Amino acid sequence: MSTRFKGKVGLITGAGSGIGRCTALQFGREGAQVACADIDIAGAEETVELIREAGGNATAIRCDVSDEEAVNRCVDKCIEEFGGLQILSNVAGIAGFISMEDHSTTEWRRFQSINLDGPFFMSRAALPHLLKNEQSAIVNVASVAGLIGQASCAAYCSSKAGVIGLTRSMAMEFLSQGLRVNAVCPGAVLTPLVSKFTFPEGFDMKSIQRINLDGRMSEPEEIAEAIAFLASDSARSINGISLPIDFGLSIG
Ligand SMILES: NC(=O)c1ccc[n+]([C@@H]2O[C@H](COP(=O)([O-])OP(=O)(O)OC[C@H]3O[C@@H](n4cnc5c(N)ncnc54)[C@H](O)[C@@H]3O)[C@@H](O)[C@H]2O)c1
């Protein structure tokens, strides 16, 4: 097993399920000490158990990424526990289909606060610690929905396009200080998130077939591997990209 993250500390949000859990496990198996943050503390604790079973070291932190103060406390806890921070991966997020005509302001704000404020709050809180290292990395999980259009998905598409903008701006701002900032843009990934989707009345299901290319879905482990690569020193020349992991959907 590779030890490419030995001596590093990684903070992963959304670590209690799906892509976040696989990402935390990947870093943990490869030697990082991992802070597993999630609003679902039971899920985060299960992930910690899996990392420990694999011989790694991890801790679970309950955190709602849309709550600025909770995010600050989460970063403080990670530093208290592990003494530093080299890698941040903002994975936590929600998704869903809402027709524009019925879209409430409350739902709109909920998407922006978790999917976009979350990575902003987390990155800002982590910055002073990340910048203490010669090399550090942030990897955000955006989505192919931030690159292409998807019907009845205004809040989600906008929040993920925002994550891509945040990634690019931070990449330009901090490269000279040793911090790289990248994102991944998965297409459809087999996780609990997707199985819980509901659709508005009259929704044209053909538009979904387009987004997963008639049934092609990635495994969450594949996304975790790409995140780990972008966070690793092998990607030292890669900065500001939003990597599609989508079978080519976004170029079609
Ligand atoms: N599954 C897909 O097809 C897909 C595709 C593209 C992008 N993504 C993105 O990947 C990320 C992870 O999704 P997933 O598929 O693994 O979903 P998931 O539902 O399996 O995991 C999401 C995790 O985020 C946590 N979370 C939700 N709200 C939170 C909050 N306010 N604070 C802290 N944690 C919170 C949940 O508790 C859960 O553990 C999301 O940002 C999602 O938008 C997923």
Side-chain angles (χ1 to χ4, degrees):
M1 180 53 76
S2 147
T3 52
R4 66 181 157 162
F5 298 115
K6 197 165 184 326
K8 300 209 171 180
V9 177
L11 169 56
I12 318 297
T13 73
S17 175
I19 297 169
R21 169 170 288 172
C22 289
T23 303
L25 254 169
Q26 174 101 26
F27 282 115
R29 283 202 195 103
E30 295 198 62
Q33 295 180 291
V34 191
C36 298
D38 206 296
I39 196 166
D40 169 15
I41 188 66
E45 279 165 353
E46 269 176 40
T47 304
V48 166
E49 245 349 275
L50 292 170
I51 293 173
R52 289 185 183 149
E53 279 166 21
N57 187 13
T59 193
I61 304 173
R62 190 192 178 281
C63 175
D64 176 352
V65 295
S66 68
D67 175 344
E68 198 169 350
E69 289 310 316
V71 166
N72 293 341
R73 285 195 301 273
C74 172
V75 171
D76 288 348
K77 250 186 140 180
C78 170
I79 300 299
E80 252 170 55
E81 182 83 18
F82 296 130
L85 184 61
Q86 286 76 33
I87 296 162
L88 168 66
S89 188
N90 287 305
V91 188
I94 54 167
F97 293 82
I98 307 167
S99 83
M100 192 62 197
E101 284 151 317
D102 301 329
H103 214 310
S104 71
T105 308
T106 307
E107 257 323 66
W108 170 265
R109 295 222 167 102
R110 196 168 80 90
F111 272 81
Q112 309 313 323
S113 69
I114 297 173
N115 289 2
L116 184 54
D117 293 358
F120 167 70
F121 291 155
M122 232 348 135
S123 301
R124 187 181 57 184
L127 256 180
H129 307 288
L130 292 169
L131 294 178
K132 282 184 187 152
N133 311 292
E134 272 176 27
Q135 285 186 42
S136 51
I138 297 178
V139 184
N140 294 319
V141 176
S143 168
V144 73
L147 296 168
I148 64 168
Q150 170 61 46
S152 302
C153 219
Y156 185 68
C157 287
S158 313
S159 67
K160 293 300 187 178
V163 171
I164 292 169
L166 173 70
T167 302
R168 289 179 177 151
S169 177
M170 287 190 67
M172 292 297 100
E173 192 167 346
F174 295 108
L175 182 66
S176 62
Q177 296 175 67
L179 169 65
R180 294 178 301 106
V181 186
N182 290 293
V184 293
C185 294
V189 188
L190 218 55
T191 69
L193 182 95
V194 174
S195 59
K196 284 183 252 164
F197 277 159
T198 55
F199 299 97
E201 216 182 305
F203 183 78
D204 176 8
M205 290 309 287
K206 282 202 205 94
S207 71
I208 286 295
Q209 283 161 13
R210 181 175 149 261
I211 214 165
N212 73 0
L213 294 170
D214 295 323
R216 279 185 195 79
M217 293 184 85
S218 305
E219 296 292 336
E221 289 81 2
E222 296 173 65
I223 315 304
E225 278 187 28
I227 292 171
F229 166 69
L230 288 172
S232 76
D233 294 344
S234 307
R236 62 191 166 276
S237 306
I238 303 178
N239 189 36
I241 68 158
S242 293
L243 177 71
I245 309 174
D246 65 349
F247 301 97
L249 170 67
S250 53
I251 56 157

